[in-house]
Amino acid sequence: MSGQLQGKVALVAGGTRGASRAIATELGRAGATVYVTGRTTREQRSEVNRPETIEDTADLVREAGGEAIAIRVDHLDPEQVRALAERVDSEQGRLDILVDGLWGGDGYLDWGKPVWEQSLDGALRMIRLGIDAHIITNHFLLPLLIRRPGGLVVEMTDGTAEYNARYRKGTSLPFYVAKAAAHHLALGLADDLAPHDCTAVAMTPGWLRSEAMLDEFGVTEENWRDALEKMPHFCISESPTYVGRAVSALAADPKAARFTGQTLSSEQMALEYGFTDVDGSRPVGWRYMVEVADVGKPADPTGYR
């Protein structure tokens, strides 16, 4: 992918960690100039209260060969997002790729509880983080993107449209609504952008080996398989780089518009564009969840990696 996005300007909103960090890195590896926004910097943390920072992500982009600009932005504050758009316009005069990776709501999840037993403040915060922040971001940044044909908007989510067509039992109502909203955001944005020859999709990784997930299991990316003793189905997990490569490949595809309005996955894009995860495999996480994990079969990635 090196050089395929040379001259392109990308903005990864919520690029502090996880899938969004890897997407920013891979866009940079392909030659893009990448703006990385989020709330956690080396001076202050967001409510997520993790050590990863937007400056760290920018360093990874540069190490991969791209240019990076880290800017602290709370995307729920319209004035901060307006100022961000004005800065990108002043510095670049364009925006070619917008990745809405905004979230930060896992701490409010209240796994498996009915809505009346959850914290109302936490439930509404998830909706704000997963929906409102995305709409605010699109409102201010899409006027830059539509200046040129070929722009791409990627709404990050959790789960394919098919998987989320049924309620995700064991999660929670506000989490489900916030994540399923990405499918509809992609549909609506695709229609809005069509007259400008721009594309909008939703994108989901599979079972992501994010920094938080690795910490949860007490492992690292190097020894992640040690977590299988505690969680056997983690055998289907994928590195953040996998979905990073998915977005980078899509952004470099001159015919990406054929996917507009759809929800795509890292596994689908790997088959489409021929890339692999960092270990050389091609995990097909969502099919595995349907055919193995959700029906109670023993963990076995054979045929799914």
Side-chain angles (χ1 to χ4, degrees):
M1 294 299 299
S2 178
Q4 292 192 36
L5 296 177
Q6 198 71 40
K8 299 291 187 180
V9 177
L11 191 149
V12 180
T16 316
R17 61 184 67 83
S20 296
R21 166 174 282 187
I23 290 167
T25 302
E26 294 308 308
L27 291 173
R29 194 183 311 280
T33 295
V34 185
Y35 284 79
V36 180
T37 68
R39 295 174 296 161
T40 295
T41 69
R42 289 169 182 166
E43 285 72 41
Q44 64 184 113
R45 291 189 181 188
S46 73
E47 67 210 83
V48 179
N49 195 29
R50 286 196 54 84
E52 300 85 17
T53 71
I54 56 173
E55 295 95 339
D56 295 338
T57 301
D59 285 346
L60 291 172
V61 173
R62 296 185 193 105
E63 289 169 13
E67 295 184 31
I69 302 97
I71 306 174
R72 188 188 185 279
V73 178
D74 181 346
H75 284 259
L76 279 170
D77 184 335
E79 290 310 309
Q80 290 188 38
V81 184
R82 185 197 303 274
L84 170 66
E86 290 173 351
R87 176 169 171 178
V88 175
D89 189 13
S90 173
E91 294 177 353
Q92 308 295 336
R94 64 188 294 166
L95 181 63
D96 303 289
I97 303 156
L98 173 61
V99 180
D100 275 329
L102 301 158
W103 178 230
D106 286 351
Y108 304 110
L109 228 162
D110 277 345
W111 292 93
K113 289 185 179 180
V115 68
W116 58 87
E117 292 182 4
Q118 297 171 40
S119 160
L120 180 58
D121 288 342
L124 294 177
R125 184 67 175 169
M126 277 193 281
I127 297 299
R128 291 274 284 151
L129 291 164
I131 301 177
D132 293 14
H134 288 239
I135 293 174
I136 292 167
T137 299
N138 286 315
H139 174 82
F140 288 107
L141 289 164
L142 289 187
L144 292 180
L145 188 120
I146 62 174
R147 288 180 180 174
R148 293 172 173 81
L152 173 67
V153 180
V154 179
E155 291 286 338
M156 296 304 295
T157 188
D158 182 349
T160 64
E162 295 78 14
Y163 197 83
N164 286 337
R166 290 185 292 180
Y167 182 62
R168 298 269 296 271
K169 292 188 69 173
T171 58
S172 71
L173 178 61
F175 170 86
Y176 174 72
V177 170
K179 292 302 180 181
H183 311 313
H184 304 287
L185 286 170
L187 285 169
L189 289 170
D191 190 70
D192 285 348
L193 294 172
H196 306 280
D197 294 324
C198 294
T199 297
V201 301
M203 179 73 72
T204 180
W207 193 340
L208 193 71
R209 292 197 300 272
S210 65
E211 299 90 347
M213 184 60 66
L214 293 173
D215 286 350
E216 175 72 19
F217 291 135
V219 294
T220 66
E221 180 58 29
E222 288 68 36
N223 70 342
W224 67 267
R225 289 177 178 81
D226 291 350
L228 303 189
E229 183 176 349
K230 179 178 180 180
M231 179 57 70
H233 288 302
F234 200 54
C235 63
I236 197 58
S237 66
E238 61 193 55
S239 78
T241 297
Y242 198 41
V243 74
R245 290 173 175 173
V247 173
S248 181
L250 180 67
D253 183 353
K255 298 181 179 179
R258 69 190 186 277
F259 294 114
T260 197
Q262 298 181 36
T263 297
L264 309 174
S265 65
S266 48
E267 61 196 67
Q268 178 185 356
M269 295 293 93
L271 294 174
E272 180 74 24
Y273 296 113
F275 62 84
T276 67
D277 202 349
V278 292
D279 62 0
S281 70
R282 290 196 178 104
V284 285
W286 292 104
R287 183 162 66 85
Y288 177 93
M289 294 302 293
V290 171
E291 298 177 2
V292 180
D294 290 351
V295 295
K297 290 183 180 179
D300 183 359
T302 303
Y304 297 95
R305 291 198 77 95

